[in-house]
Amino acid sequence: MNEAVAGLLREYAELLAITGGDPFRARNYEKAAKAVAGHPADVTTMAESALTSIPGVGKSIAAKITEFKRTGTIKAVEEQRAKVPPGVRELTRVPGLGPKRAMQLSRELGIATVSDLEAAVSEGKLRNIAGFGPKSEERILRGLAVMTTDRVLLNVALSTATDIVGALRDSTERVEYAGSLRRWRETIGDVDILATAGDDAHAERIMTAFREMSDEIVVSGPTKTSIRAATGAGTGLQVDLRVVRPECYGAALQYFTGSQAHNVAVRQVAIRAGLKLSEYGLFRGDELIASATEDDVYAALGMDWVPPPMREDTGEVEAGIKRQIPALVQEKEIRGDLHTHTNLTDGVASLEEMIRQAEPKGYAYYAVTDHAPNLIMQRMTDEKMLAQRARLAALASSMVLLHGTELNIAPDGSVDWDEDFLSGFDMCVASVHSHFDQDRRAMTKRFIVACENPRVNIIGHPLTRKIGRRPPVDVDLGELFKACATTGTALEVNASPARLDLPGDYIRQARDAGVKFAIDTDAHSFGDLENMKYGVGTAQRGWLTSGDVINTWPLENLREFLRKGRAS
Ligand code: DGT
Ligand code: CA
Ligand code: CA
Ligand code: ZN
């Protein structure tokens, strides 16, 4: 039920923003929605007095949740809904189209859907509307181009896959997901699951169990069935299940993990050796040479096993043949999270709660990096920051607690505080949070100035893209990488599945330019602390080893890096 309540609260926040309500109020409902979605207990079974103990939930939101419990709806939400024409909410999701303009397009052109908008742009209709110039048309076109339609984010696919794999464990010993999810690709088209069965009857039992998980069967046969997921965030996502004999599991796993380009390249290696590779195994004529494990298959081809995130045909086959597959960074090597928030700014949990929640992860260190004053919505002040520092210093923890901040990189590359104030922090992340539309030259200069700041240690979510929602900024990455390498500024691999920023291909280029990285969750809630795996997967797609990642290093080495060559 929490998802339904969170959905209504989120809708209310969006509607308030569209109707021009108090932005702080909208922000509060957004925060509450996040907290409710991540709350462990079903909020509709909780007493109103208990509800207010959820971070971000005050009296009036608690009353709305109780109202939902009683009536199945929230009157205030319905009232706001009545003020907004249908489709406007959908339109505000187009990157670059704010609430005001979405209302205007609805009123003047009757645009009610994203496809209406696409048609109107291509017919040049926007040009006749007051306030819409060629620049806004271009911005909307770019926005439409990044909107994902039929692919889902990693966390959505992973939760669907984990549920289904877990349920299938009752029917078979060996079952796991393959495909793009196993490769940690940033978006997932469909989930591919592989299971083993000893005989046909066993295979049929597995297929039956799988079919019973959904009302929507796309296709079903003795060895392959596809359904659409029936529950959870991934409702509607296609899931393919293949059932194979245990003795060809390795060859099948290799085949269905892909990528297709990797498979084509590996098959070429087989052909050159006079062999034939398929999902059933590696053959010489009719003789089966290898198939039980992936290791066996790669070894019989004269290669190292290739970690799935590298399987994109970008040099990994050659590296495998030369026995030069790097020892990719692993999640268990991460010693700390260097970018996290609390409810002092836009996080939903208190400082003490976030730290208590992070401790079981076994980190050696943990940085609190709340937002700085120039992001005015966050209402940060010097006094609040210093008071937080004192609270942090007084906390006992199994982790070394670092006091940091997330600075805003202004259009000219400057950041919120002067060097004197900044020198009081253990470390600083600096990120672009506004003026995304600067041209390449200005944007590049902006990043370089930030890197040259002796107190800026990590550039947060460097592209500032949001997958399917906001395009990347236009920056000369070659210049940025050079500046990072020479100044000792790390680039972030932001682990939020909505960001994954930097992405793998750029990580590799940056690493080749001598850049170091910090894999961080940018956690705003308890749940976000669990996102580290997506960052590690992304780093693996960039071929990173622990030597490249500063938050796998012992604290002393990290501190040395954070000094950026300063004496203290
Ligand atoms: P997705 O689903 O678009 O996120 O990406 P994948 O990589 O999961 O693609 P999918 O689901 O179409 O197929 C899963 C794997 O199966 C794919 O990575 C490689 C293998 N595969 C599928 N079709 C072919 C094919 O026609 N040729 C080859 N060589 N491999 C294929
Ligand atoms: Ca797939
Ligand atoms: Ca598939
Ligand atoms: Zn942040």
Side-chain angles (χ1 to χ4, degrees):
M1 278 326 255
N2 289 2
E3 224 3 274
V5 174
L8 278 173
L9 296 176
R10 209 172 294 127
E11 179 179 356
Y12 192 57
E14 285 181 30
L15 292 170
L16 283 175
I18 293 169
T19 55
D22 174 2
F24 288 106
R25 219 169 136 235
R27 174 66 60 131
N28 286 341
Y29 276 93
E30 221 178 277
K31 268 189 170 180
K34 265 197 246 175
V36 166
H39 195 73
D42 182 346
V43 296
T44 59
T45 63
M46 293 167 66
E48 196 162 324
S49 55
L51 287 171
T52 53
S53 71
I54 300 174
V57 176
K59 274 213 180 101
S60 103
I61 296 179
K64 288 191 175 70
I65 296 174
T66 309
E67 179 191 345
F68 173 79
K69 184 163 76 183
R70 220 179 42 240
T71 67
T73 180
I74 298 174
K75 204 158 155 250
V77 179
E78 309 236 319
E79 280 167 14
Q80 287 295 322
R81 259 186 210 152
K83 291 188 203 161
V84 175
V88 169
R89 234 179 115 218
E90 183 188 341
L91 289 181
T92 59
R93 298 220 176 83
V94 178
L97 195 65
K100 250 196 217 140
R101 299 192 149 211
M103 280 291 249
Q104 196 184 356
L105 290 177
S106 157
R107 213 167 38 231
E108 296 184 28
L109 293 176
I111 292 174
T113 65
V114 171
S115 38
D116 287 357
L117 178 64
E118 273 166 341
V121 180
S122 68
E123 288 160 23
K125 283 189 183 161
L126 263 51
R127 281 174 219 163
N128 309 327
I129 296 196
F132 280 81
K135 249 198 138 155
S136 41
E137 190 176 276
E138 196 185 301
R139 187 173 329 117
I140 290 169
L141 273 175
R142 274 206 298 153
L144 287 169
V146 300
M147 278 186 89
T148 45
T149 43
D150 48 355
R151 301 182 68 83
V152 302
L153 297 181
L154 263 181
N155 56 329
V156 172
L158 184 63
S159 90
T160 299
T162 308
D163 288 351
I164 293 178
V165 165
L168 288 174
R169 286 244 158 78
D170 294 340
S171 315
T172 177
E173 269 156 55
R174 210 117 175 249
V175 50
E176 69 186 302
Y177 57 80
S180 50
L181 182 58
R182 186 166 177 243
R183 304 196 314 275
W184 295 108
R185 214 186 131 173
E186 66 189 33
T187 60
I188 304 299
D190 65 25
V191 170
D192 301 280
I193 294 177
L194 195 63
T196 59
D199 55 39
D200 291 350
H202 186 193
E204 185 45 37
R205 283 202 304 281
I206 298 170
M207 285 303 180
T208 304
F210 183 60
R211 279 193 302 264
E212 280 167 2
M213 294 176 193
S214 177
D215 294 334
E216 202 177 334
I217 315 293
V218 179
V219 44
S220 187
T223 59
K224 180 188 166 178
T225 293
S226 298
I227 64 172
R228 292 200 181 277
T231 56
T235 302
L237 177 62
Q238 184 169 322
V239 182
D240 297 344
L241 171 68
R242 278 144 186 121
V243 179
V244 300
R245 291 287 177 268
E247 54 274 17
C248 48
Y249 188 71
L253 184 60
Q254 196 284 328
Y255 181 87
F256 291 114
T257 296
S259 68
Q260 192 162 325
H262 173 82
N263 289 355
V264 169
V266 173
R267 212 173 308 137
Q268 293 303 318
V269 176
I271 290 168
R272 283 203 299 273
L275 307 172
K276 196 176 145 274
L277 180 64
S278 74
E279 67 249 59
Y280 302 106
L282 183 64
F283 296 87
R284 181 180 289 116
D286 289 336
E287 182 201 353
L288 179 67
I289 300 191
S291 67
T293 69
E294 280 194 336
D295 250 332
D296 293 349
V297 173
Y298 283 107
L301 288 167
M303 298 173 61
D304 276 351
W305 177 80
V306 181
M310 292 177 68
R311 298 184 194 174
E312 299 290 349
D313 190 29
T314 56
E316 77 282 4
V317 173
E318 295 72 11
I321 291 168
K322 289 196 206 137
R323 311 280 176 191
Q324 286 172 353
I325 296 287
L328 300 184
V329 61
Q330 303 295 316
E331 192 183 0
K332 62 178 187 296
E333 293 177 303
I334 300 289
R335 290 184 201 241
D337 201 334
L338 298 180
H339 181 174
T340 71
H341 295 274
T342 75
N343 63 5
L344 188 60
T345 56
D346 56 351
V348 295
S350 73
L351 179 72
E352 291 77 8
E353 289 169 328
M354 281 301 274
I355 286 165
R356 211 172 311 127
Q357 191 71 20
E359 278 170 346
K361 306 191 80 58
Y363 290 147
Y365 44 81
Y366 181 90
V368 177
T369 57
D370 271 317
H371 287 289
N374 293 352
L375 208 58
I376 43 174
M377 287 288 286
Q378 307 299 336
R379 298 173 153 164
M380 180 51 77
T381 62
D382 295 12
E383 294 70 31
K384 280 177 159 176
M385 209 37 142
L386 295 174
Q388 183 186 57
R389 185 175 303 161
R391 250 165 90 191
L392 191 71
L395 269 179
S397 172
S398 56
M399 309 178 291
V400 172
L401 302 176
L402 302 175
H403 193 231
T405 181
E406 180 177 12
L407 301 164
N408 305 289
I409 307 177
D412 65 358
S414 64
V415 296
D416 306 65
W417 281 295
D418 62 15
E419 183 164 5
D420 185 44
F421 194 86
L422 292 180
S423 69
F425 290 104
D426 293 310
M427 51 158 289
C428 299
V429 179
S431 318
V432 165
H433 289 125
S434 64
H435 302 86
F436 303 113
D437 286 337
Q438 276 183 313
D439 66 34
R440 171 176 286 229
R441 189 202 293 232
M443 188 62 83
T444 305
K445 179 94 189 27
R446 180 181 186 181
F447 275 106
I448 291 173
V449 170
C451 289
E452 287 170 346
N453 186 315
R455 296 290 167 175
V456 168
N457 302 115
I458 298 168
I459 302 293
H461 44 72
L463 299 182
T464 79
R465 63 137 180 205
K466 289 197 179 158
I467 297 170
R469 291 175 50 205
R470 188 200 288 155
V473 293
D474 188 11
V475 55
D476 183 334
L477 288 169
E479 291 298 315
L480 171 58
F481 299 160
K482 231 190 307 178
C484 287
T486 54
T487 60
T489 312
L491 286 176
E492 183 172 76
V493 179
N494 190 292
S496 163
R499 289 193 186 267
L500 302 176
D501 183 9
L502 276 184
D505 42 354
Y506 294 131
I507 291 174
R508 249 177 107 184
Q509 293 173 24
R511 200 259 339 242
D512 290 345
V515 177
K516 300 295 181 205
F517 302 84
I519 308 174
D520 295 326
T521 65
D522 194 0
H524 286 71
S525 67
F526 292 170
D528 289 352
L529 290 168
E530 309 308 318
N531 286 342
M532 192 57 91
K533 53 186 173 288
Y534 305 113
V536 173
T538 301
Q540 292 176 338
R541 289 178 67 82
W543 295 34
L544 295 189
T545 66
S546 59
D548 302 313
V549 180
I550 63 172
N551 55 319
T552 66
W553 299 354
L555 181 62
E556 309 82 85
N557 303 40
L558 173 66
R559 285 215 198 265
E560 172 66 29
F561 181 87
L562 296 176
R563 271 202 293 278
K564 288 187 101 170
R566 296 186 313 262
S568 64

